[in-house]
């Protein structure tokens, strides 16, 4: 059986915490789709296409497994994408009880809607405090985000047009 899993998220921008979860998830499934989804509850920093490009570059530069595909989804439910591509599992990183509280209802609804299960991975403790919102804030105030994000993201946030 060819097992396909999806790691969905805003990835605005992708962090080293995301990279850790993506790398470990890629080892658990035959195919892993990293899916950039617009979250209407958040004010975006980067356009979706730029987030996809930065994830692709970070995955390539980091030497992550080649069963990883990066794409985006803007029409309909997340589980519609899963059904379209034949994915039966969503993968999410869980850093804290706050993440558990945020993710649990979505996991139950996604299972109710389409039988798609959610697998939670615990982070490498080195990245447990890292979030995209923290990175956006540090970057907006002129701080150094390089400890928290792949080099491609740090370079882009420093000089977005390059
Ligand atoms: O990185 P984020 O912002 O925490 O990711 C949240 C995301 C995009 C995965 C979540 O908002 C989502 O699943 N959106 C898709 C819309 C959807 O299918 N909603 C209904 C079931 S939860």
């Amino acid at each position: 059986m060819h097992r396909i899993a999806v790691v969905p998220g805003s990835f605005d921008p992708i962090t080293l915490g995301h990279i850790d979860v993506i790398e470990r998830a890629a080892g658990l499934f035959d195919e892993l789709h990293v899916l950039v989804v617009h979250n209407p509850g958040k004010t975006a920093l980067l356009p979706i296409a730029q987030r996809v490009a930065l994830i692709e570059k970070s995955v390539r530069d980091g030497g992550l497994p080649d069963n990883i595909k990066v794409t985006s989804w803007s029409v309909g439910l997340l589980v519609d994408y899963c059904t379209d591509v034949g994915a039966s599992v969503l993968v999410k990183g869980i850093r804290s009880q706050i993440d558990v509280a945020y993710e649990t209802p979505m996991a139950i609804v996604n299972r109710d809607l389409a039988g798609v299960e959610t697998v939670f991975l615990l982070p490498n403790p080195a990245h447990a405090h890292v979030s995209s919102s923290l990175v956006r804030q540090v970057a907006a105030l002129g701080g150094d985000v390089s400890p928290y994000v792949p080099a491609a993201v740090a370079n882009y946030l420093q000089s977005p047009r390059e």
Side-chain angles (χ1 to χ4, degrees):
M1 189 181 208
H2 188 79
R3 286 259 181 215
I4 304 174
V6 176
V7 181
S10 303
F11 301 108
D12 186 31
I14 189 164
T15 69
L16 293 179
H18 292 130
I19 291 286
D20 169 48
V21 168
I22 290 166
E23 182 164 24
R24 283 189 287 129
L28 297 174
F29 297 94
D30 299 304
E31 203 177 312
L32 188 75
H33 295 204
V34 180
L35 189 69
V36 179
V37 183
H38 171 65
N39 183 342
K42 294 181 177 173
T43 305
L45 172 68
L46 305 175
I48 299 267
Q50 190 59 53
R51 296 182 220 170
V52 169
L54 287 172
I55 298 169
E56 279 173 340
K57 183 157 174 43
S58 303
V59 164
R60 221 173 31 241
D61 292 353
L64 268 62
D66 60 10
N67 63 339
I68 297 170
K69 174 182 171 182
V70 186
T71 186
S72 63
W73 180 249
S74 53
V75 185
L77 295 165
L78 173 58
V79 292
D80 292 341
Y81 176 85
C82 295
T83 305
D84 278 4
V85 301
S88 53
V89 175
L90 294 165
V91 179
K92 298 283 189 83
I94 288 287
R95 292 160 301 185
S96 66
Q97 289 300 323
I98 295 170
D99 283 350
V100 174
Y102 175 65
E103 296 293 348
T104 300
M106 292 197 284
I108 293 170
V109 168
N110 286 326
R111 195 176 59 210
D112 286 348
L113 286 169
V116 173
E117 295 284 1
T118 300
V119 168
F120 294 120
L121 293 184
L122 296 176
N124 177 336
H127 304 309
H129 59 292
V130 178
S131 68
S132 297
S133 58
L134 180 122
V135 168
R136 288 196 299 275
Q137 190 175 108
V138 172
L141 297 172
D144 176 18
V145 295
S146 61
Y148 312 120
V149 295
V153 175
N155 292 340
Y156 179 83
L157 291 177
Q158 251 180 317
S159 27
R161 280 168 210 285
E162 284 177 13

